Amino acid sequence: MTIQFNEETFRDDYTFKNSDWAIQRFPFPFHEDSYMYSVNMEQHRGGPEGSIYEKRFDVDEHYVAEMRDRAMVLADDPLRCQSLPHMTLAGWDLLELIMVSKSEDYPDLFELHRDGDQWRWVNKPLGIDDTFTFLDETTLPYGPMEYITRQAQGDFCVLDQRDDNLWMDAGTVTTQADWSLDFDIGMNFFEWHAPVPLAHEKGIFVRALKFLLNIQQGSPARRLNWTMTVNPLLDTSPENYHKWGIQKTTITPDNIGQKQHLRVELQTFFRLPRSNALVFPIRCYLCNFDDMMTMPKWGRRLHRVIRDLPEELATYKGFIDNRPMMLDYLAKFDDGLPTSPGIWPDKDSEPPLQA
């Protein structure tokens, strides 16, 4: 296999780590030295070779460990995967999309063999080799959406489109940034975004919904979102806040570089063919401050973004109490030099940190 998968954990002893390759391709979410909510949508039609944008569904060194963590979450709380009865066909659409994409984009890792409705799926990293009848749930160990999302990094929300709105009527959500599928299931686009500050007043969600309703099959879109997480936790759900919320108090000036992580979501949107549903994958990437500071451009920019972020957003993203300590750490990596536009580190052209 071309990718070396890490043996690591996202809980308890937190042995998660990023290789140099993973750091270089980390989706740093700030294209300039300030941040404010925007629709920030673009077409999801590939990207630079080796980047997270290159393939339709990115597979990286964390794949096997993330799938192991998902299985543990679902064993503890099966309601993290739900599908309302009318969404079964959309689940089959999603299964087809992921299987076709992965087998075409990573032929050394995944195989899909189709003979009419008789399909054989081979997932080499997870040791899966299954034959089933497409559109026949009885031939799979789980429903189609759950079956395939147990084998795909990131969360998946499957949205029904009706009444000029999008409704969260199915999903597998185990790596979320403090929101609950069990609470949001059946809600429409505006209802599940209700807690977000500032964006409603700016009309962000009205424009975003208009864009999403018009996504066509074969023309997926993408955007980046971000927050902060203490320790490399995938499961920061409200159901488990009593376990992870207290960890915010463990940050000190001595350990902040290792424990404080920027949590970035690559959010993509695909129109599904039979059901006309919209699938909303939310892929989580984690990088600690120490690793990010190996990229001088990111060090300069992250300090400026966190320093100037409106208080409402720092509160909503959950790091308002730790912001002073973050800024004390980040200030050491901001020498005031200008930064190049765009999210990529530009390490070969960006000047090194000046003493």
Side-chain angles (χ1 to χ4, degrees), residues 83-348:
S83 179
L84 299 184
H86 63 283
M87 298 301 286
T88 301
L89 183 60
W92 285 108
D93 279 339
L94 177 58
L95 176 143
E96 179 183 45
L97 173 66
I98 293 176
M99 286 186 176
V100 170
S101 299
K102 284 180 178 285
S103 62
E104 290 179 351
D105 292 346
Y106 300 93
D108 59 321
L109 302 178
F110 307 97
E111 297 176 15
L112 178 61
H113 307 276
R114 293 184 281 184
D115 181 8
D117 62 1
Q118 298 303 301
W119 291 24
R120 179 183 171 215
W121 169 247
V122 180
N123 179 329
K124 296 178 183 178
L126 298 184
I128 293 170
D129 188 336
D130 286 339
T131 300
F132 61 95
T133 302
F134 188 69
L135 297 179
D136 183 352
E137 284 188 89
T138 66
T139 60
L140 286 175
Y142 307 98
M145 181 191 70
E146 181 173 356
Y147 176 78
I148 198 58
T149 56
R150 283 176 173 266
Q151 303 176 52
Q153 288 166 281
D155 291 332
F156 290 83
C157 302
V158 188
L159 313 177
D160 193 29
Q161 183 164 325
R162 61 183 188 272
D163 303 328
D164 295 321
N165 212 325
L166 294 170
W167 303 80
M168 190 175 295
D169 286 349
T172 299
V173 180
T174 67
T175 67
Q176 70 269 50
D178 200 12
W179 66 275
S180 170
L181 174 68
D182 191 40
F183 184 78
D184 288 355
I185 194 81
M187 287 188 179
N188 69 39
F189 186 80
F190 296 115
E191 290 169 339
W192 83 69
H193 282 112
V196 182
L198 302 181
H200 293 275
E201 298 93 313
K202 295 178 179 295
I204 298 295
F205 293 123
V206 172
R207 296 198 299 275
L209 178 62
K210 183 177 180 180
F211 180 92
L212 294 173
L213 290 174
N214 287 286
I215 288 178
Q216 301 298 306
Q217 187 184 349
S219 299
R222 68 190 180 209
R223 68 185 293 268
L224 294 176
N225 193 22
W226 68 279
T227 188
M228 293 284 181
T229 301
V230 175
N231 292 321
L233 270 162
L234 286 177
D235 178 19
T236 55
S237 61
E239 287 89 346
N240 281 331
Y241 184 80
H242 61 286
K243 298 179 182 178
W244 60 267
I246 192 66
Q247 296 181 33
K248 297 179 185 181
T249 65
T250 65
I251 290 289
T252 70
D254 292 331
N255 66 26
I256 188 170
Q258 282 295 307
K259 290 176 72 73
Q260 186 65 63
H261 289 69
L262 182 60
R263 182 190 194 98
V264 178
E265 296 173 348
L266 170 59
Q267 302 180 350
T268 51
F269 305 87
F270 295 81
R271 178 69 62 191
L272 299 176
R274 299 169 186 83
S275 61
N276 198 45
L278 192 71
V279 64
F280 173 23
I282 309 168
R283 173 67 192 281
C284 172
Y285 295 84
L286 295 164
C287 191
N288 69 32
F289 276 15
D290 280 354
D291 285 344
M292 271 188 294
M293 296 307 106
T294 63
M295 305 295 173
K297 172 180 171 179
W298 291 354
R300 296 179 176 109
R301 180 163 293 170
L302 187 60
H303 173 249
R304 298 165 196 180
V305 167
I306 300 303
R307 179 193 64 199
D308 299 336
L309 195 72
E311 184 172 330
E312 300 98 318
L313 292 186
T315 301
Y316 172 69
K317 291 181 180 292
F319 62 85
I320 187 67
D321 291 340
N322 285 338
R323 179 153 70 167
M325 199 184 310
M326 289 183 188
L327 291 175
D328 286 344
Y329 172 94
L330 293 170
K332 296 179 290 185
F333 299 93
D334 185 0
D335 51 17
L337 291 180
T339 57
S340 59
I343 68 171
W344 307 114
D346 301 326
K347 195 171 185 181
D348 294 336

